[in-house]
C-alpha cells in the first residue's frame, strides 16, 4: 500500500490564507525547503473554516526550519516515491509526479462548510415537507376513536419471600406476588385456579390489577352461588404477578431469556403451593393443579411463548396463553443481535412443532394461544406484529383485534389494553369459560377452549365460527291454528315495526326454501330486542321449527317449553323448535343518535344462516311475546347470496386512480356485502362514503351500519349511523412472514352494510384512496428505516470524500461531499434500489420461496423448505411492486435528515470550539506566559497502549461494548472541537482536511449510536436495580476494538494517509457495501450495521498504521513539540500544533 501523510508540524500564523501544498521537500536543506514550500502554496478562501485567520505579529519565524527530532529531517515531508539523488533530493521523475498531483490540488477549491448549494437547499426543503406531511398525517388523519371505560379496583398484593435463591438464581432481582381484591377476597392462601400475569417491556406487576379484580368480583357475584357452574369445575382465579423491576425486554434478548427462565421456576413454585395444607384452601376432592394459565402483556407474551422452549420448562405446565398487544411475528426493533436470534429460535421451534404430522411429536399440541391486538391506536408496537398466522394454526389459536370483540368495539393503545373495562370483562368471562378445576390441567380440552375463545372474542360472522343450532335438541313445542294467517309467503320478508300491536303473543312463520336452490339462499334477522335462550324477560324469540305430529299416547313433556297459540281449536299444527338465541350475533346499535359503536346503548341482535345450515328445519318462527305495544322492531328475510354479495375486481392501481363506486337497488337485501380483494395492504388508507337514506325519521327503523373486516387476522371495525368512514386495516404488512397455511389471504377487505329495507331508495357507496392518510401509516411500519437509510447517505458521502482525498489530497467538507453525492451517487443508488424493489415480486417462485434469499443462503431450515419465512426481510419488506415509490420517499427524507444533522454538528463544534480556544489560551498564558494553543498534546505510546488495553479488558469482563461506544463518540466530538480550533487559527489545508475528516467520522458514529443505545439503557437499568451480573453477551472486544483504535489515533491529531495505489478502491467498496446493506437488510438486521461500520473503522485504522513514518513520529512527537516551543518567543507567536 502506497500512502502519503502529513507528519507532526509546528505551524505559525500567516498574514494570508495560503495553504501548504503536498509537494516533496528535500529533507537535508531547511532553507531550500522553506523556499520550495512558499512557491507551492494553494490559495484558500478566508471563509474555508468559517473564520478569517489572524495575522502574525512576527514574520521572522517563517525562516525557521521545521525538523523531526527523531530523524533530523523535516517531519512534514511526505514519503518519497521512487529513488532519490545522492544528496537526498527526489529524482526528476518523482518531481514530475508530485507536481502533477499539486496541479490537481490547485484546481480543488475548499468551500465554506456552512455553504449550501441550491441542490442541497431544495433537497432539504423537499425532505422537510415530506417529513412534516408524514408526521401530520400520523397525528391527525385516519385516527380510530377511543372508547375505553376506566376500571376500578381495591388491590392488595402478597409477596412470596420464600421464593428465594434456593429456587431461582434471579431471586435478588425479581419477585413473585399474589393478588387479592380488598373487600372481596383477602385470604392470601391459594384456593382456585392459578393464572400468571407477565408484564411487558418496562412494565409493572401492578398491571394485573384490572383483570384480577374483575375476576374476583365476577366469581363472587355470579359464579359462587351457581351450583351448576361449581359442578362444572368453575373456581376463583388465583392471579399471580411478577415484578421484573421494569426490565427492558424489547431491546435485549438475554433479559428476555432470563425472564423466561425465572418464570418456569416460578410456575414450579406456584404449583407447589397447592400441595401445602398451610398454604392452600383448595377443595380436597379436586386434583392438584399441574398447569398454569398465562396472560402476557406486550413483550410478556413473547416471554410466555419462550418459556416453552427453555431447558427448565416442565412439560404440560402451560396449556393456555393469552397475550395483549404482543409482537409475536417479529421483534419491535432489531438493534440487538440476541433479541433477533431469540425470536428466530423461538418462532422456529413453534413452527416446527405445528408442522409435525402426528400429535405425539408435537410438544405444543395441547397449547392454545390467543393474541389480542389494540389496532391503530397502539403507537408503541405495530399491531401487525401481533399476528400468529405464521406461528400457530387455526386449530390452536388466532389473532383478534379489540375492535372486533362483542360489546368492546373499540381500538386501544398499548397501555389501555390492560385496564380497559369492556375488554377486561370479556377476557375474564372467557377465562372462566375455559377453566375446569376438576381436571389436573385446570382447563377444558383444547377444542372446547378454542370454541369458548371464539365465542367470546369473535363477532360470530367469521367462517371458523360453528353454529350451535344443529347441536341442540328441540326444546320448544309451538302449537298454531291450521288456518293461521301468520305464515309469510315464500320469498317475502317479515318486518315488524312495533311489537305487541295485537295485544297478545303472536308467532310469524317464514317458510324455509327447499334445499338445492341454484341461487344459494341466506337467512338474516335483525332486531333491536335482546334474544335469550331461556326466553325469560325478553319480548322476542326466533326459533327454527319442524312439523311434530303428536300421536296418541305421546306426551309433550319432552319439551322444556310449550307455546300454544291455537286458541284451543280442534285443528292445529304442532312444531318442534330449536331456539336460535345461542347463535345471536351482537351488533352495535345504529340510530340517528348513534355516534360511536361503543356508545352506551342497547345493541342489536343479528342472526345469519346459510340455507345448508337449516336443512333439518321447515319454518322460521319469529315469536312476538309482547302483550302491549313497545318500541321494538324486527326484520327477517331469505335472500339470494348473489343479490347480497358484490365482488369488486379492480386492481390496486385502479383503486388509486378511480376508487370503487357501487349503487345498490331499492329492493336490495337488508345486509349487503362488498368484497374488494385488492384492498389488502396495511399501507393504504381509504375513505368510504354512503349515500343518505331518504325515508324519513318516522319511517326509518335504523340508520346504515357498516362493518369493515379482514379474514386474517380477525379484524373488524364497526361504523354506526355511517355517512363517511376512515378505512384502514392490518392486512398484508411489511416485513411480516407468510402464514403457516393460507387462511383468508387474497380475500382482501369486505364491507358489510346493514340498511333499512323498508326505505325504498337506492344506496350509493363509494371508496376512495386517502393518499395523505396513507402516508401517516408509514411511520409505524417503517420507523426503523430512519435508522438505516441515513447510514446509506452517510456512507456514500464518506465514499466521495475519500475518493477525492486519495486523488488530490483535499478532504472536502461533509457539505461539499453531500452536494456532489446528490448529483450522482445517491440518486443512482436509490434508482437501483427502486428497480430492485419493483423486481422482487417477480423474483418469487410459485411456491412462495424468494429466490434472492435462497441465493443469499437465508433460508436453509428443512422445515421451511415449503415456506420461506424470511422472504419479506429484504428492502421494503413487501412483495407488492406498487410500493417502489417508497425508496425515493425514504431516501429523500434521509438525505434531509443527514443534512440537518451535519449543520447541527457544525453548530455544536463551532460553539464548543469558541469556548475551548479561549480556555486553552488562558491556561497556557497563565502557565508559562505564552499565548500558545496546544491543541493536541500527545501522550506517550506506552501510556496510550495501557489505556487502550485497560478499556478493552473492561469490555471483555464488566461493561458492554455499547458503553465504550458512547464514550468514544464523546471523545470524537472532543477531537472534532480541537481540530476546528486549530483550523480556525491557521486555515491550512492539512488542518481543514483533518477537521473535515474528524467531523465526517463523528457523523458516521452518531448514526450508529441509536443501534447501541438500547442495550446501554438495559445495562444502566440493571445497575440501577443493583443487578451487577455482567451480560453473557456484548463483551466481544473485536466488536469495539477498531472503533477504539481509530478514535484514539484521531485524538492525537493524526490525519489519515492518502492511499495512492489500487488498494484505495477497497475504501470505496467498503463504504458502498455499507450503503447497500443499510438499504437492503438494515431494517431486519439493524444490529449488523454496527459490525459493518466496525469493519470500515478497522480498515481506516489499518490505513493509519500503514504509514512508514507513524511509529517514529509517535516517539519523536513530544520532543519535537518541546523544541518548537523553545524556539518560539514567549507571548509573541501563536504556535499551532497538529501531529
Amino acid at each position: 500500500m502506497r500512502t502519503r501523510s502529513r507528519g507532526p508540524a509546528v505551524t505559525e500564523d500567516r498574514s494570508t490564507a495560503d495553504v501548504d501544498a503536498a509537494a516533496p521537500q528535500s529533507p537535508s536543506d531547511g532553507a531550500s525547503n522553506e523556499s520550495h514550500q512558499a512557491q507551492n502554496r494553494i490559495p484558500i478562501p478566508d471563509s474555508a473554516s468559517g473564520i478569517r485567520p489572524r495575522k502574525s505579529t512576527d514574520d521572522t519565524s517563517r525562516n525557521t526550519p521545521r525538523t523531526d527530532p527523531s530523524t533530523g529531517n523535516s517531519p512534514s515531508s511526505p514519503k518519497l516515491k521512487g529513488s532519490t539523488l545522492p544528496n537526498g533530493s527526489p529524482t526528476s521523475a518523482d518531481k514530475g509526479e508530485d507536481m502533477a498531483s499539486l496541479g490537481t490540488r490547485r484546481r480543488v477549491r475548499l468551500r465554506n462548510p456552512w455553504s449550501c448549494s441550491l441542490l442541497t437547499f431544495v433537497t432539504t426543503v423537499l425532505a422537510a415537507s415530506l417529513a412534516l406531511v408524514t408526521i401530520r398525517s400520523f397525528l391527525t388523519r385516519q385516527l380510530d376513536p377511543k372508547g375505553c371505560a376506566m376500571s376500578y379496583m381495591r388491590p392488595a398484593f402478597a409477596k412470596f419471600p420464600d421464593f428465594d435463591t434456593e429456587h431461582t438464581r434471579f431471586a435478588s432481582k425479581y419477585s413473585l406476588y399474589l393478588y387479592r381484591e380488598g373487600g372481596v377476597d383477602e385470604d392470601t392462601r391459594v384456593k382456585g385456579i392459578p393464572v400468571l400475569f407477565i408484564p411487558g417491556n418496562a412494565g409493572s406487576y401492578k398491571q394485573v390489577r384490572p383483570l384480577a379484580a374483575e375476576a374476583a368480583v365476577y366469581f363472587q357475584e355470579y359464579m359462587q352461588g351457581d351450583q351448576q357452574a361449581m359442578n362444572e369445575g368453575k373456581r376463583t382465579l388465583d392471579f399471580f404477578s411478577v415484578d421484573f423491576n421494569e426490565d427492558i425486554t424489547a431491546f435485549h434478548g438475554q433479559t428476555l431469556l432470563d425472564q423466561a427462565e425465572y418464570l418456569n421456576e416460578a410456575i414450579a413454585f406456584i404449583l407447589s403451593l397447592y400441595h401445602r395444607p398451610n398454604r392452600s384452601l383448595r377443595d380436597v376432592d379436586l386434583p392438584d393443579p399441574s398447569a398454569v394459565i398465562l396472560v402476557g402483556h406486550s413483550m410478556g407474551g413473547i416471554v410466555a411463548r419462550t418459556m416453552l422452549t427453555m431447558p427448565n420448562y416442565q412439560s404440560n405446565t402451560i396449556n393456555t396463553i393469552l397475550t395483549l398487544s404482543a409482537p409475536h411475528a417479529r421483534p419491535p426493533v432489531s438493534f440487538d443481535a440476541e433479541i433477533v436470534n431469540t425470536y428466530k429460535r423461538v418462532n422456529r421451534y413453534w413452527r416446527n412443532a405445528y408442522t409435525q404430522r402426528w400429535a405425539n411429536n408435537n410438544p405444543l399440541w395441547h397449547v392454545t394461544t390467543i393474541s389480542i391486538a389494540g389496532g391503530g391506536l397502539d403507537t408503541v408496537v405495530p399491531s401487525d406484529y401481533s399476528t400468529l398466522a405464521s406461528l400457530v394454526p387455526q386449530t390452536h389459536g388466532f389473532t383478534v383485534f379489540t375492535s372486533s370483540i362483542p360489546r368492546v368495539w373499540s381500538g386501544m393503545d398499548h397501555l389501555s389494553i390492560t385496564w380497559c373495562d369492556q375488554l377486561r370483562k370479556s377476557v375474564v368471562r372467557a377465562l372462566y369459560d375455559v377453566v375446569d378445576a376438576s381436571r389436573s390441567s385446570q382447563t377444558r380440552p383444547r377444542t372446547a377452549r378454542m370454541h369458548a375463545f371464539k365465542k367470546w372474542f369473535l363477532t360470530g360472522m367469521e367462517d371458523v365460527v360453528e353454529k350451535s343450532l344443529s347441536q341442540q335438541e328441540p326444546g320448544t313445542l309451538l302449537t298454531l291454528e291450521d288456518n293461521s294467517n301468520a305464515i309469510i309467503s315464500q320469498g317475502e320478508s317479515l318486518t315488524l315495526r312495533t311489537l305487541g300491536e295485537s295485544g297478545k303473543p303472536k308467532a310469524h312463520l317464514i317458510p324455509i326454501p327447499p334445499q338445492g336452490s341454484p341461487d344459494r339462499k341466506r337467512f338474516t334477522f335483525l332486531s333491536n330486542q335482546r334474544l335469550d335462550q331461556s326466553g325469560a324477560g325478553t319480548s322476542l324469540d326466533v326459533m327454527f321449527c319442524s312439523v311434530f305430529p303428536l300421536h296418541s299416547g305421546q306426551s309433550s313433556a319432552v319439551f322444556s317449553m310449550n307455546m300454544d297459540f291455537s286458541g284451543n281449536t280442534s285443528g292445529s299444527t304442532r312444531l318442534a323448535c330449536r331456539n336460535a338465541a345461542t347463535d345471536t350475533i351482537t351488533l352495535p346499535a345504529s340510530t340517528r343518535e348513534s355516534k360511536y359503536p361503543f356508545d352506551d346503548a342497547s345493541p342489536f341482535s343479528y342472526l345469519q344462516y346459510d340455507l345448508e345450515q337449516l336443512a333439518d328445519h321447515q319454518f322460521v318462527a319469529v315469536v312476538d311475546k309482547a302483550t302491549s305495544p313497545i318500541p321494538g322492531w324486527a326484520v327477517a328475510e331469505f335472500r339470494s347470496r348473489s343479490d347480497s354479495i358484490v365482488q369488486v375486481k379492480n386492481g390496486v392501481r385502479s383503486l388509486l386512480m378511480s376508487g370503487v363506486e357501487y349503487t345498490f337497488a331499492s329492493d336490495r337485501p337488508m345486509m349487503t356485502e362488498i368484497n374488494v380483494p385488492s384492498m389488502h395492504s396495511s399501507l393504504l388508507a381509504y375513505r368510504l362514503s354512503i349515500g343518505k337514506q331518504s325515508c324519513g325519521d318516522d319511517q326509518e327503523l335504523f340508520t346504515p351500519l357498516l362493518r369493515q373486516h379482514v379474514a386474517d387476522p380477525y379484524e373488524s371495525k364497526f361504523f354506526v349511523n355511517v355517512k363517511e368512514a376512515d378505512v384502514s386495516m392490518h392486512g398484508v404488512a411489511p416485513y411480516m412472514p407468510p402464514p403457516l397455511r393460507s387462511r383468508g389471504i387474497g380475500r382482501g377487505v369486505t364491507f358489510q352494510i346493514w340498511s333499512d329495507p323498508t326505505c325504498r331508495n337506492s344506496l350509493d357507496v363509494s371508496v376512495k384512496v386517502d393518499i395523505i392518510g396513507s402516508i401517516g401509516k408509514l411511520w409505524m411500519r417503517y420507523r426503523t428505516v430512519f435508522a438505516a437509510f441515513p447510514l446509506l447517505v452517510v456512507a456514500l458521502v464518506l465514499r466521495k470524500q475519500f475518493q477525492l482525498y486519495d486523488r488530490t489530497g483535499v478532504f472536502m467538507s461533509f457539505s461539499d461531499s453531500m452536494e456532489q453525492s446528490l448529483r450522482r451517487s445517491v440518486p443512482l443508488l436509490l434508482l437501483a434500489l427502486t428497480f430492485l424493489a419493483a423486481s422482487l415480486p417477480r423474483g418469487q417462485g410459485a411456491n412462495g420461496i424468494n429466490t434472492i434469499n435462497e441465493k443469499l443462503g437465508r433460508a436453509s431450515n428443512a422445515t421451511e423448505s415449503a415456506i420461506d419465512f424470511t422472504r419479506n426481510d429484504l428492502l421494503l419488506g413487501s412483495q407488492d411492486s406498487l410500493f417502489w415509490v417508497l425508496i425515493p420517499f425514504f431516501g429523500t427524507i434521509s438525505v434531509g435528515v443527514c443534512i440537518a444533522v451535519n449543520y447541527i454538528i457544525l453548530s455544536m463544534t463551532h460553539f464548543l470550539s469558541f469556548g475551548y480556544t479561549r480556555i486553552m489560551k488562558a491556561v497556557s498564558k497563565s502557565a508559562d506566559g505564552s499565548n500558545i494553543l496546544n491543541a493536541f498534546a500527545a501522550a506517550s505510546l506506552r501510556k496510550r497502549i495501557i489505556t487502550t488495553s485497560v478499556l478493552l479488558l473492561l469490555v471483555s469482563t464488566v461493561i458492554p461494548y455499547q458503553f465504550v461506544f458512547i464514550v468514544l463518540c464523546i471523545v470524537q466530538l472532543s477531537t472534532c472541537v480541537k481540530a476546528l480550533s486549530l483550523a480556525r487559527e491557521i486555515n491550512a489545508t492539512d488542518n481543514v482536511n483533518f477537521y473535515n475528516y474528524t467531523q465526517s467520522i463523528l457523523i458516521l458514529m452518531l448514526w450508529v449510536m441509536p443501534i447501541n443505545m438500547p442495550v446501554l439503557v438495559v445495562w444502566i437499568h440493571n445497575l440501577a436495580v443493583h443487578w451487577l451480573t455482567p451480560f453473557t453477551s456484548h463483551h466481544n472486544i473485536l466488536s469495539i476494538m477498531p472503533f477504539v483504535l481509530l478514535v484514539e489515533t484521531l485524538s492525537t491529531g493524526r490525519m489519515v494517509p492518502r492511499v495512492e495505489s489500487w488498494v484505495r478502491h477497497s475504501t470505496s467498496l467498503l463504504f458502498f457495501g455499507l450503503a447497500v446493506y443499510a438499504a437492503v437488510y438494515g431494517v431486519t438486521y439493524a444490529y449488523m450495521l454496527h459490525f459493518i461500520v466496525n469493519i470500515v473503522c478497522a480498515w481506516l485504522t489499518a490505513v493509519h498504521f500503514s504509514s512508514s513514518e507513524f511509529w517514529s513520529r509517535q516517539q519523536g512527537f513530544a520532543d519535537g513539540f518541546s523544541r518548537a516551543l523553545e524556539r518560539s518567543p514567549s507571548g509573541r507567536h501563536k504556535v499551532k500544533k497538529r501531529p
Side-chain angles (χ1 to χ4, degrees), residues 37 474 642 658 699 748 811 842 967 1061 1103:
Q37 198 175 37
S642 60
S658 57
Q699 302 295 323
F811 202 98
R842 288 187 285 272
V967 174
S1061 66
V1103 173

Side-chain angles (χ1 to χ4, degrees), residues 886-962:
L886 295 181
I887 295 292
F889 182 89
F890 293 139
T892 303
I893 295 179
S894 299
V895 169
V897 171
C898 289
I899 294 173
V901 169
N902 173 51
Y903 284 109
I904 292 174
I905 296 300
L906 281 173
S907 302
M908 184 184 302
T909 53
H910 277 72
F911 175 77
L912 295 176
S913 173
F914 181 81
Y916 172 80
T917 301
R918 277 149 183 77
I919 293 175
M920 292 303 297
K921 286 182 178 179
V923 171
S924 177
K925 187 172 183 178
S926 61
D928 55 10
S930 63
N931 192 19
I932 299 172
L933 176 61
N934 186 5
F936 293 95
S940 66
L941 181 61
R942 178 181 299 177
K943 183 177 179 180
R944 293 166 58 195
I945 292 176
I946 293 175
T947 303
T948 303
S949 301
V950 170
L951 189 61
L952 295 178
L953 178 63
L954 291 175
V955 170
S956 63
T957 55
V958 179
I959 62 177
Y961 67 78
Q962 288 83 359

Side-chain angles (χ1 to χ4, degrees), residues 4 6 20-24 40 42 78 98 101-102 105 808-809 990 1058:
R4 283 192 174 190
R6 283 283 184 181
D20 293 341
N40 294 281
I42 301 177
D98 289 331
S101 175
L102 177 61
R105 293 185 61 190
T808 67
D990 289 342
R1058 293 170 57 193

